[in-house]
Amino acid sequence: MSVANPYEYPLEFQRLKDAAAAVFQGEGVRACKVTLAFVDNAHIHRLNNQFLKHDEPTDVLTFPYTEPGAKTLEGEVVIGYEVAKEYAADRNHDVSLELLLYAIHGALHLCGYGDTDDRSEREMRSKERHYLAKLGLPDIAGA
């Protein structure tokens, strides 16, 4: 697993990798080649508009390069650092905790979990809570 940090944000690289790795291990992924990329609002806004036709910055975008269940899971998780900073401030916790949640969230997407309807969103939040707890982190997974 690797981390791309083109804007040189202050990141806890190992903790972020460990959070995603906990998901992959917990979901039975035996091998993976995944990049966690941390970008600014303009960058993630452009990607969100290009790939999902959403004209705004977002928290997490995932780009799976293989199907869930592939021998080696490959993909990229793009995380909006400035979005994380804003959400963390609004929710009164440190940005590093918000980034760990986003790493978990993106890893779950690569494992095949969605959040496009009420049922899948509830399942995603439950999985996020599970991995936050497994890592000894507070439950910030939202409603």
Side-chain angles (χ1 to χ4, degrees), residues 105 108-109 113-129 141-143:
H105 184 86
L108 286 166
H109 273 309
Y113 292 93
D115 56 4
T116 56
D117 59 47
D118 288 343
R119 186 187 67 66
S120 64
E121 187 171 353
R122 279 192 306 274
E123 184 178 23
M124 176 71 85
R125 297 295 164 257
S126 175
K127 286 286 186 178
E128 288 170 353
R129 285 187 181 86

Side-chain angles (χ1 to χ4, degrees), residues 3 8 24 27 40 74 83-84 89 95 107-108 111 127-128 135:
V3 175
E8 299 183 359
F24 296 136
E27 297 300 315
D40 68 5
E74 296 183 34
V83 171
V95 67
L108 286 166
C111 289
K127 286 286 186 178
E128 288 170 353
L135 293 164

Side-chain angles (χ1 to χ4, degrees), residues 42-60:
H43 194 141
I44 204 158
H45 185 160
R46 186 172 59 253
L47 292 172
N48 199 23
N49 196 20
Q50 180 181 350
F51 291 99
L52 296 179
K53 305 298 184 231
H54 298 158
D55 191 17
E56 62 189 3
T58 190
D59 51 1
V60 179

